[in-house]
Amino acid sequence: TRDVFFLFILRPFKEDFSRLGQLTGPTRDLDVYLLQKEAFLTRVRPELQSGVLAYFKRLTLRRNKAQRVLASTLKTESFAMQLQRWEEFLKLRKRKKGLAADKPIGRLANRIIRQHFAKVLQDGQNINATTSDAEIHQLRIECKKLRYSLEFFASLYEKEAFFKLLKPLKSMQTILGDFNDLFVQQEMLYKEIQRLRKGTAQNKEEQIVALSALMQSLYEEQQPLRGHFAEHFAALQTEETLQLCAMLFGKKKPDKSP
């Protein structure tokens, strides 16, 4: 959209939706985490499960608080005006056009997809056994951008060839998503352990042991995913896939060399 509309037109809307994302994030993340309760209990010995249950009780309280904040914000006049501004913009028949507004949509789609595909290949080739979790998370974001672009422009391309390209990307996204979920879960556990150490909670040592055991279990599940990522990434940069990308989106094959 930045080439279709000038940035100064879009910036206020991007800021509005960025704030909305920050507002919805905590409730969404805690909802997802709470769904793991039964699975997490099976990861620790029975005598440690009470410590995990105490942790989830606190998470439930935090989730309820975050949800109340979200609900009250969505009822405010400022949020209603935000939606109204966006709706009015979408209904405008005459908008100030960006530099690419009059270009053929196919040419623009090809360029956007090629750029995202090249970025995924570049970042993916840098992943190794010592790559930080944060860098892997960044690759996950780049894959999301590529997939959103592919799906948004899907109707412009030959269906069978298009979905042949999409398949390895979806598989890689699954691995990256699982890896990131495990990273986030460990981060939350680590912060909770630090809070417990500084606090005066009842049976805090028992809870620390339970959460430490849970954190180790998640870590052991996360590490093999690095190897699984390499397998799925290899499928995304085969000669056949690169040729397919060149056929669909024009110009030469994406460069798979580091």
Side-chain angles (χ1 to χ4, degrees), residues 11-26:
R11 185 178 290 115
F13 297 119
K14 291 181 73 173
E15 291 172 354
D16 284 344
F17 287 117
S18 176
R19 286 192 293 270
L20 181 60
Q22 293 170 6
L23 181 66
T24 59

Side-chain angles (χ1 to χ4, degrees), residues 24 43 56 86 100 127 131 197 200:
T24 59
R43 287 177 177 268
F56 272 90
W86 179 241
I127 301 297
T131 303
R197 284 178 174 153
T200 58

Side-chain angles (χ1 to χ4, degrees), residues 19-74:
R19 286 192 293 270
L20 181 60
Q22 293 170 6
L23 181 66
T24 59
T27 304
R28 179 197 61 231
D29 292 344
L30 287 166
D31 277 341
V32 172
Y33 208 112
L34 288 169
L35 291 173
Q36 301 295 319
K37 178 180 175 180
E38 296 304 321
F40 279 12
L41 286 172
T42 65
R43 287 177 177 268
V44 299
R45 300 195 308 270
E47 62 269 25
L48 297 178
Q49 290 181 354
S50 61
V52 175
L53 287 171
Y55 170 55
F56 272 90
K57 184 176 181 179
R58 290 192 295 277
L59 284 185
T60 300
L61 294 175
R62 290 175 201 160
R63 183 266 174 200
N64 292 341
K65 181 179 179 181
Q67 197 278 332
R68 287 195 297 271
V69 171
L70 172 60
S72 63
T73 303
L74 295 180

Side-chain angles (χ1 to χ4, degrees), residues 9-204:
I9 295 175
L10 294 179
R11 185 178 290 115
F13 297 119
K14 291 181 73 173
E15 291 172 354
D16 284 344
F17 287 117
S18 176
R19 286 192 293 270
L20 181 60
Q22 293 170 6
L23 181 66
T24 59
T27 304
R28 179 197 61 231
D29 292 344
L30 287 166
D31 277 341
V32 172
Y33 208 112
L34 288 169
L35 291 173
Q36 301 295 319
K37 178 180 175 180
E38 296 304 321
F40 279 12
L41 286 172
T42 65
R43 287 177 177 268
V44 299
R45 300 195 308 270
E47 62 269 25
L48 297 178
Q49 290 181 354
S50 61
V52 175
L53 287 171
Y55 170 55
F56 272 90
K57 184 176 181 179
R58 290 192 295 277
L59 284 185
T60 300
L61 294 175
R62 290 175 201 160
R63 183 266 174 200
N64 292 341
K65 181 179 179 181
Q67 197 278 332
R68 287 195 297 271
V69 171
L70 172 60
S72 63
T73 303
L74 295 180
K75 295 175 183 176
T76 61
E77 183 178 351
S78 62
F79 179 71
M81 291 180 65
Q82 174 184 327
L83 291 183
Q84 183 179 342
R85 287 194 300 270
W86 179 241
E87 185 176 358
E88 289 171 351
F89 173 73
L90 294 177
K91 289 180 178 179
L92 280 177
R93 292 189 175 274
K94 292 184 179 180
R95 305 186 188 98
K96 195 170 183 61
K97 295 179 179 180
L99 299 176
D102 292 323
K103 288 184 178 180
I105 187 64
R107 190 189 308 169
L108 183 62
N110 286 345
R111 179 170 64 81
I112 291 171
I113 293 171
R114 283 198 307 267
Q115 288 175 346
H116 286 313
F117 196 89
K119 180 63 173 169
V120 167
L121 290 182
Q122 178 185 344
D123 289 357
Q125 287 153 6
N126 294 328
I127 301 297
N128 56 48
T130 62
T131 303
S132 70
D133 291 354
E135 290 175 278
I136 294 177
H137 175 58
Q138 187 58 43
L139 173 60
R140 175 174 170 265
I141 292 173
E142 294 300 331
C143 286
K144 287 174 69 175
K145 290 178 181 179
L146 173 59
R147 182 171 173 182
Y148 291 160
S149 298
L150 286 168
E151 292 181 339
F152 184 80
F153 295 116
S155 62
L156 301 176
Y157 301 100
E158 195 275 317
K159 189 174 181 180
E160 185 177 348
F162 182 83
F163 283 100
K164 194 172 183 180
L165 178 63
L166 199 58
K167 185 177 179 180
L169 176 62
K170 286 183 176 181
S171 297
M172 194 169 77
Q173 276 191 287
T174 298
I175 297 295
L176 292 171
D178 291 344
F179 187 95
N180 186 68
D181 288 344
L182 290 163
F183 165 70
V184 171
Q185 290 161 2
Q186 290 173 75
E187 284 286 290
M188 288 182 68
L189 285 167
Y190 177 78
K191 291 176 182 177
E192 186 68 15
I193 289 169
Q194 299 311 306
R195 277 194 288 265
L196 284 168
R197 284 178 174 153
K198 294 175 182 177
T200 58
Q202 235 182 356
N203 304 322
K204 77 172 189 177

Side-chain angles (χ1 to χ4, degrees), residues 1-16:
T1 57
R2 63 184 179 183
D3 294 326
V4 177
F5 301 112
F6 286 108
L7 185 58
F8 75 88
I9 295 175
L10 294 179
R11 185 178 290 115
F13 297 119
K14 291 181 73 173
E15 291 172 354
D16 284 344

